[in-house]
Amino acid sequence: MNIKIYAIGKVKDKNQLNAIKEYDKRLGRYCKIEMILVKNKEMLLKKLSYKSYVIKVSTEGELFTSEGLAEKIKTLGVSGTSDMAIVYSEEDIKWDEHLAVSKMDMSLGMFMTILFEQIYRGYRIIHNQAYHK
Amino acid sequence: MKITFISVGKIKESFYTKQIEGNIKNIKKYAQVQVIEVPDEKCPEKLSDKEMIQVKDKEGERILSKINSGDFVIALAIEGKMISTDDLKSLIKMKQTSSIVFIIGGSLGLSEKVLKRSNYKLSFSRLTFPHQLMKVLLTEQVHMVVK
């Protein structure tokens, strides 16, 4: 599976970047994942491929569980969808699914850390591998 | 305003501890902050229900020993309320005269006694987070609402 996570903005905090890097490394054996940060909506729309399964994430979306995300990754894989695009944005974009990590706001680096960690957790769940809380 | 964070177990990853330290430093500009880590119980993979309750109770006693009678206690719990940052801001504002205590449980969660003592149960997400990441998320959120 190719997973791309898009957002408008920047992650400057070194420790947040290190956390993301760590999960990125651990995910290497399961999927291809990439964080794509752009300056504005125009750039976002330009980069975003609608051939992918698009998941919009904002505080207005539907809350989901770690098991639910694992199931989603698994189902998409089985159905032959190889590209997943996760877009963290309040912008009006075309989406296949609209989800929420939390009703609360958070920094972009925090969001990315959570997403990378949850996708890693998702693969551990799919493969029945232990993962500590 | 006085804010206390109580959590169970040590945080190991340095990229998490550094983020928590940074967030705490930011909160200290607006409030008096205390950070308490109580020791966790050894928790093997397979525990019976009874053993799980024992672990939670032991950790719970350590948590309760750090709470004062007048504290406004906000426990992070799966069954807690999911609210927006603005709603949390209002809640904290309402309680700013008292000492506010946030509690993050161990890997099995919080004991019945701790949940009973809490004045508010809060949930950030339906996702299951590692307890270290939860503490980063909580401290970042508290910084957002006190600033």
Side-chain angles (χ1 to χ4, degrees), chain A residues 58-60 88 90 101-107 110, chain B residues 74 81-94 102 120 122-125 137-147:
Chain A
S58 77
T59 52
E60 304 299 318
Y88 183 49
E90 305 287 339
V101 161
S102 176
K103 292 283 165 201
M104 293 178 176
D105 307 318
M106 60 184 81
S107 67
M110 187 76 241
Chain B
I74 302 176
K81 268 196 197 141
M82 301 211 195
I83 58 175
S84 67
T85 299
D86 281 343
D87 290 340
L88 183 63
K89 202 172 204 161
S90 313
L91 177 69
I92 299 293
K93 221 174 194 165
M94 238 161 53
F102 286 95
Y120 195 93
L122 180 66
S123 173
F124 272 72
S125 179
L137 186 56
L138 172 65
T139 50
E140 180 186 282
Q141 192 62 215
V142 171
H143 174 228
M144 283 172 98
V145 302
V146 295
K147 76 175 177 191

Side-chain angles (χ1 to χ4, degrees), chain A residues 32-44:
Chain A
K32 238 179 97 184
I33 189 163
E34 198 184 343
M35 169 171 78
I36 300 167
L37 298 175
V38 296
K39 277 191 188 135
N40 50 45
K41 189 185 174 186
E42 286 68 45
M43 297 272 283
L44 177 70

Side-chain angles (χ1 to χ4, degrees), chain B residues 57-69:
Chain B
D57 281 345
K58 272 188 191 160
E59 292 173 348
E61 287 308 319
R62 291 175 196 148
I63 294 168
L64 290 168
S65 74
K66 305 288 180 190
I67 298 173
N68 297 315
S69 57

